[in-house]
Amino acid sequence: MADTISSFWGPVTSPEWCESNYVYSSYIAEFFNTISNIPCLILALIGLVNALRQRFEKRFSVLHISNMILSIGSMLYHATLQRVQQQGDETPMVWEMLLYIYILYSPDWHYRSTMPTFLFLYGAAFAVAHAIVRFGAGFKVHYAILCLLCIPRMYKYYIHTNDIHAKRLAKLYLTTISLGTVCWLFDRLYCKNISSWYINPQGHALWHVLMGFNSYFANTFLMFCRAQQLEWNPRVVHFWGLFPYVKIQKPKSQ
């Protein structure tokens, strides 16, 4: 903690990251780790507006909202470094991955009510357990397993997609998650060395920004694939020639 600024939130009760606490404000413990969630929030909002404007299935609106909730939870966690806010960050991370699993696997699931029911109960049970038990490294392993469960299905969608722009979204998804993971590991494993540097590269904050783009690219790719399954004639177009989003043309009967 900076000597000249006192903490508004009291003693730290959750894990800290490689950033000095309360340097810029007594209300924000880890400044860069907090504000780095703002791009994630904006990207999720853009995705939500597009999903609602073109009347995509509700699952995608819920997915974008979950991204927003996760960003807000992460902001509160890094701003306060309190145990309760840490749960408000980590529990939505698991819920979000359960949503991805549902979106990825539900089109081919024969018993449609069983998957959402199971995933809902699983998410609720995890939330209760996480409120009682400190999982620590166990949470990271659990989250990594949920992420790995999504990879085979994402790969299947990729190889069955012929659109070059949609494939580029998948490649951007893979690139951002790879770079983000490197930033996260570098910040976590080499914090003692980084702390002695004149400038902190803020690896965890970079992880937030990269994962914000990662979620947006993943969501956009999945929206394209789902629209293709429903024969909505999807196209990946670019706002201002740079920012990708999916544009659809539903049959008149729909």
Side-chain angles (χ1 to χ4, degrees), residues 1 3 14 23-24 33 40 44-45 56 60 78 88 96 101 107 120 135 152 162 172 202 228 240:
M1 182 186 297
D3 295 333
S14 66
V23 173
Y24 300 98
N33 286 346
C40 313
L45 180 60
F56 272 88
F60 290 106
H78 289 287
E96 181 185 67
I101 291 172
F120 175 82
F135 288 116
N162 295 321
L172 287 170
Q202 304 297 340
Q228 202 170 43
W240 288 345

Side-chain angles (χ1 to χ4, degrees), residues 172-174 176-177 209-219:
L172 287 170
Y173 158 81
L174 184 61
T176 49
I177 196 171
V209 175
L210 287 166
M211 291 308 294
F213 279 97
N214 174 263
S215 296
Y216 181 83
F217 293 140
N219 296 356

Side-chain angles (χ1 to χ4, degrees), residues 126-210:
F126 174 82
V128 173
H130 193 35
I132 299 172
V133 181
R134 284 179 178 261
F135 288 116
F139 169 81
K140 298 178 180 63
V141 173
H142 175 242
Y143 183 74
I145 291 172
L146 293 177
C147 292
L148 290 172
L149 288 174
C150 296
I151 292 177
R153 194 67 173 189
M154 286 289 282
Y155 179 71
K156 180 182 178 181
Y157 281 177
Y158 177 81
I159 62 176
H160 285 90
T161 300
N162 295 321
D163 187 276
I164 186 172
H165 297 293
K167 282 183 173 289
R168 188 174 298 164
L169 287 172
K171 291 175 182 177
L172 287 170
Y173 158 81
L174 184 61
T175 300
T176 49
I177 196 171
S178 299
L179 290 174
T181 301
V182 170
C183 291
W184 189 93
L185 289 171
F186 184 77
D187 183 85
R188 201 63 177 159
L189 298 177
Y190 299 101
C191 184
K192 289 184 179 180
N193 303 87
I194 294 171
S195 299
S196 63
W197 294 2
Y198 182 73
I199 297 177
N200 186 335
Q202 304 297 340
H204 196 75
L206 288 173
W207 151 265
H208 286 160
V209 175
L210 287 166

